[in-house]
Amino acid sequence: MSTDVKLVASGARAPVGTTAESVAAAVRAGISRVRRLQVPELRRQSASFLARDALLDPGEWSGAARMAALGAAALAEVLGKLAPALTQWNAEVPVLVGLPEERPGWKSADAARVVAALAAVGSVRLRLRVEPRLAGHASALEGLQEAVRRVSRAGGFPLAIVGGVDSYHDVQTLAWLRERNQWLEAGARTGFAPGEAAAFVAVMASPDARRWGLVPHATVRTTTTARETRLIHTDDLNLGEGLTAAVGEALAPLGGTQVQVENIHSDINGERYRSEEWGFVALRLGSAFRDASAVHTPVSSCGEVGAATGALNLVLCAQAWRRRYARGPRALLWGSSEAGLRAAALLEEPLSGSSRVGARQ
């Protein structure tokens, strides 16, 4: 789907920061909150790598409770940034929030706690209709695709909010990760440090953003989804076919030009499956990128943040353009969920609109 939709506000909460700006600055600076910690609640008490939000209760090991707090903080930041422009606003706003796929410590019923916390951030004039999407890593980018449809003229909503929230800091979840050898421990060659985060972005069609006087942070050009049938934790050899389909469709507007994408934001997290999947995509579509190996990920700073990854990457991408340290005016974002959902989005720096494709190399 080719679009001209703007990101007009963002919020984030992660182990390295409490706002979109502070999180992005910390990730860029290479600051990390990944530490070796013990979880006394687990029977096996050897220290493993974790990344925690230090402002939350250190004794709280319920993932749903931590997600509710993280999500409410990040969403409140977005609404606070929108407030000066929307003083006369009286409308319902869809909030499409990506959440984890079901796993030990997190069931579909737990989403109600997070949804309630997010809905409470709204007001009488700004009524939030929170729609959870329990689809994991790719859920926020899939939500972006739906948000783009909603804010189009046919969709009937001038404003939509897209986000993702996740926390692996649940005793049952951590035990499950350890059993599957996904939890990174000293001496391990693969695996990830379980983290937690929340991020949200507000999106509007370009005419509405101008009408409300909101400064765009990024332009959404395409949003795509696909399915992968050769899944992680199976014996099937994943050749990246699903992700290739999603990325290829996202890059379609650049076809037939000499334009290359300079920035890549992903959910690569230290697991071999994800790195190899992107490797196959790079082999097929590498000419579309200035450097297909230069892939940005928040994992080294924030730990693995699961369903929050796509939304956090949207925030990091937009902040890179706002602060003028991005490598160029185009960015590809992609996500890979364990159950097979693949999603991708092509974003551009606001000043580089479609009429200027190819003007900045």
Side-chain angles (χ1 to χ4, degrees):
M1 178 187 297
S2 182
T3 70
D4 186 12
V5 168
K6 307 297 185 185
L7 272 59
V8 295
S10 59
R13 176 76 176 265
V16 293
T18 58
T19 65
E21 291 78 10
S22 63
V23 171
V27 172
R28 184 194 180 202
I31 295 172
S32 176
R33 292 289 298 176
V34 176
R35 301 287 186 270
R36 284 194 71 188
L37 298 172
Q38 286 186 327
V39 183
E41 288 78 1
L42 293 177
R43 292 180 180 179
R44 178 182 169 190
Q45 296 187 22
S46 61
S48 300
F49 292 100
L50 291 167
R52 302 201 89 191
D53 186 304
L55 298 182
L56 298 184
D57 181 359
E60 177 61 79
W61 290 97
S62 164
R66 298 179 74 87
M67 285 184 227
L70 292 166
L75 181 57
E77 181 186 354
V78 172
L79 297 183
K81 290 175 176 176
L82 291 173
L86 305 181
T87 55
Q88 305 302 315
W89 192 275
N90 189 344
E92 183 179 65
V93 178
V95 179
L96 310 174
V97 57
L99 295 172
E101 298 164 295
E102 287 202 5
R103 65 195 183 204
W106 172 260
K107 303 301 181 186
S108 58
D110 295 320
R113 183 169 187 174
V114 180
V115 169
L118 297 178
V121 179
S123 63
V124 174
R125 291 188 300 105
L126 203 63
R127 301 179 298 280
L128 304 183
R129 191 176 78 194
V130 182
E131 302 176 25
R133 312 172 82 85
L134 279 70
H137 285 77
S139 56
L141 294 180
E142 182 192 40
L144 179 64
Q145 184 180 52
E146 175 61 17
V148 165
R149 189 188 69 79
R150 299 275 183 96
V151 300
S152 68
R153 291 305 180 190
F157 288 92
L159 170 67
I161 297 175
V162 178
V165 186
D166 206 341
S167 174
Y168 286 97
H169 290 247
D170 184 281
V171 174
Q172 293 183 55
T173 302
L174 291 172
W176 172 69
L177 291 176
R178 179 167 278 160
E179 290 172 2
R180 303 211 305 178
N181 297 315
Q182 288 183 273
W183 191 352
L184 184 64
E185 299 182 277
R189 300 182 64 181
T190 62
F192 56 77
E196 54 188 356
F200 288 89
V201 296
V203 299
M204 277 185 165
S206 293
D208 289 318
R210 288 193 296 269
R211 182 161 62 92
W212 291 97
L214 290 164
V215 177
H217 298 179
T219 300
V220 182
R221 287 300 178 206
T222 58
T223 57
T224 64
T225 58
R227 302 295 305 187
E228 177 58 62
T229 59
R230 298 176 180 181
L231 305 181
I232 192 171
H233 307 302
T234 69
D235 293 331
D236 293 333
L237 177 62
N238 177 20
L239 301 177
E241 293 170 347
L243 186 58
T244 299
V247 171
E249 187 178 351
L251 297 175
L254 306 183
T257 73
Q258 298 301 311
V259 172
Q260 291 183 309
V261 175
E262 303 89 353
N263 307 283
I264 306 168
H265 296 265
S266 78
D267 59 9
I268 288 177
N269 63 1
E271 292 182 293
R272 181 176 176 179
Y273 178 96
R274 295 181 184 279
S275 299
E276 290 182 347
E277 182 176 38
W278 175 248
F280 284 113
V281 176
L283 285 172
R284 296 185 182 106
L285 304 175
S287 62
F289 304 99
R290 177 176 292 179
D291 182 355
S293 67
V295 179
H296 301 286
T297 173
V299 168
S300 60
S301 292
C302 305
E304 159 66 66
V305 295
T309 309
L312 186 55
N313 278 335
L314 286 169
V315 171
L316 298 178
C317 177
Q319 288 297 318
W321 283 322
R322 293 196 75 200
R323 305 299 175 185
R324 310 299 297 173
Y325 57 81
R327 300 181 68 200
R330 287 163 291 272
L332 175 80
L333 288 73
W334 59 265
S336 175
S337 295
E338 290 198 354
L341 176 66
R342 302 293 184 263
L346 178 66
L347 271 61
E348 289 184 357
E349 185 180 7
L351 297 179
S352 69
S354 58
S355 63
R356 294 177 57 186
V357 166
R360 292 178 57 179
Q361 299 293 324

